[in-house]
Amino acid sequence: MSAPTSDSARTSLEALRTEIAKAVVGQDPAVTGLVVALLCRGHVLLEGVPGVAKTLLVRALAASLELDTKRVQFTPDLMPSDITGSLIYDARTSEFSFQPGPVFTNLLLADEINRTPPKTQASLLEAMEERQVSVDGTPRPLPDPFLVVATQNPVEYEGTYPLPEAQLDRFLLKLTMPLPSRQDEIDVLSRHAEGFNPRDLQAAGLRPVASPNDLAAARAAVAKTSVSPDIAGYVVDICRATRQSPSLSLGVSPRGATALLATARAWAWLTGRDYVIPDDVKALALPTLRHRIQLRPEAEMEGVTPDSVITAVLANVPVPR
């Protein structure tokens, strides 16, 4: 079987939206964000109130892409070894053997990551950054592709451990899943009335429409997407402007600038181009940058939001011609 071409890989990844829509209604931006993250080898922080199909979205993506997936419910008593795995003593052989944890998968859903203490959060973030787990001094590589989708509830703060800014910066994208529109909610209820079972995606008609080979071909094509010096300068100017905003105590770091360039390249390729234009940068600026800035307390009290600051920056930074 021949390797997928750039065009066939793009067609397969575009088909993901249609396939996932069989299970998840009205969340196209989140689906696109997850595909962009896969193309960039990045991780996603998914924010939404309970009941907006965050878990279902990740499971539907895995089913449509022929990827292995696991879910971990983060709780205050979760230990790092519960995620990474540990050494287990085998009495028959009198030796220790490594028992892999749920992090050894392609698509890990870290549910309510802010419910677990910093030590356990850090163990997952180390795996995300290094793409390996070290137990007893032995590094063990994680599968490829490897994507962490960490969810958090934006309205519940009691008993939570918010991620520090340095750890938030490790996530490529922060996607929000809003409550559905009235018509979308009617569609959800109609599907359930017709017998849709979110725990049985095969019965809902979900089939793999793209493969890991398609993803590898797509990543290779994204790496060849050209970036002009003007576009690189535009990305830098946007990030530098956040550092000068009077509403912020922390602007976007150089890591954030490289992330914005990477996501813009992936979006350019997905839309059928082999070069980046300013609109690609604008399209991915909010999900790539919103979690990398910190509001001043007085700005927060005045109702300023990270999204409004970034939108204002995009309106003021000159666009290259």
Side-chain angles (χ1 to χ4, degrees), residues 96-113:
F96 285 93
S97 61
F98 178 65
Q99 185 70 34
V103 76
F104 286 87
T105 186
N106 297 124
L107 201 53
L108 178 68
L109 177 64
D111 233 341
E112 295 190 291
I113 190 173

Side-chain angles (χ1 to χ4, degrees), residues 4-315:
T5 64
S6 174
D7 288 340
S8 68
R10 185 187 293 113
T11 302
S12 297
L13 290 178
E14 284 172 350
L16 281 176
R17 291 188 201 180
T18 309
E19 200 64 20
I20 292 172
K22 292 179 182 177
V24 182
V25 178
Q27 296 289 0
D28 264 5
V31 174
T32 302
L34 289 174
V35 173
V36 166
L38 279 166
L39 290 174
C40 298
R41 291 183 169 86
H43 306 285
V44 173
L45 188 61
L46 197 58
E47 191 171 88
V49 298
V52 290
K54 298 188 291 292
T55 304
L56 181 60
L57 174 61
V58 174
R59 289 180 56 239
L61 176 66
S64 305
L65 250 177
E66 282 187 307
L67 296 178
D68 183 39
T69 183
K70 290 192 175 85
R71 174 180 177 271
V72 178
Q73 178 65 52
F74 279 66
T75 56
D77 59 350
L78 196 74
M79 299 296 289
S81 58
D82 294 332
I83 299 169
T84 59
S86 56
L87 293 173
I88 305 294
Y89 181 71
D90 189 339
R92 290 174 300 176
T93 61
S94 301
E95 291 180 350
F96 285 93
S97 61
F98 178 65
Q99 185 70 34
V103 76
F104 286 87
T105 186
N106 297 124
L107 201 53
L108 178 68
L109 177 64
D111 233 341
E112 295 190 291
I113 190 173
N114 54 341
R115 284 214 165 277
T116 204
K119 185 177 181 181
T120 307
Q121 290 176 3
S123 69
L124 175 63
L125 291 161
E126 180 188 8
M128 289 162 54
E129 189 69 16
E130 305 298 332
R131 297 185 184 272
Q132 66 178 28
V133 168
S134 293
V135 177
D136 198 32
T138 305
R140 293 173 169 85
L142 295 170
D144 185 42
F146 173 63
L147 173 71
V148 172
V149 181
T151 72
Q152 61 180 19
N153 180 346
V155 296
E156 197 172 355
Y157 297 106
E158 195 171 328
T160 63
Y161 304 83
L163 289 167
E165 299 301 325
Q167 293 185 350
L168 282 172
D169 206 32
R170 305 286 183 196
F171 287 95
L172 180 73
L173 298 172
K174 180 181 178 182
L175 304 174
T176 56
M177 287 185 69
L179 289 165
S181 66
R182 182 176 184 274
Q183 187 54 53
D184 284 343
E185 202 162 353
I186 290 172
D187 290 346
V188 170
L189 265 63
S190 300
R191 290 184 184 195
H192 280 264
E194 290 164 8
F196 171 72
N197 180 0
R199 293 169 189 81
D200 189 356
L201 296 180
Q202 204 168 0
L206 258 79
R207 300 288 180 269
V209 294
S211 68
N213 288 338
D214 290 317
L215 190 57
R219 285 172 169 178
V222 168
K224 295 175 184 170
T225 303
S226 64
V227 179
S228 70
D230 285 346
I231 293 294
Y234 182 51
V235 170
V236 168
D237 289 344
I238 289 170
C239 295
R240 290 179 71 86
T242 64
R243 298 170 207 162
Q244 294 157 8
S245 170
S247 299
L248 300 180
S249 58
L250 178 69
V252 177
S253 68
R255 182 191 284 138
T258 60
L260 180 54
L261 187 62
T263 56
R265 288 175 89 186
W267 178 244
W269 179 81
L270 274 173
T271 50
R273 275 178 281 102
D274 60 358
Y275 57 92
V276 180
I277 62 174
D279 282 352
D280 300 324
V281 178
K282 289 181 178 178
L284 271 297
L286 283 176
T288 310
L289 303 181
R290 61 165 57 113
H291 57 297
R292 303 176 192 272
I293 60 177
Q294 193 167 31
L295 292 169
R296 292 187 187 278
E298 56 270 29
E300 211 166 349
M301 288 173 67
E302 290 169 7
V304 176
T305 64
D307 284 16
S308 66
V309 172
I310 295 166
T311 303
V313 165
L314 292 173

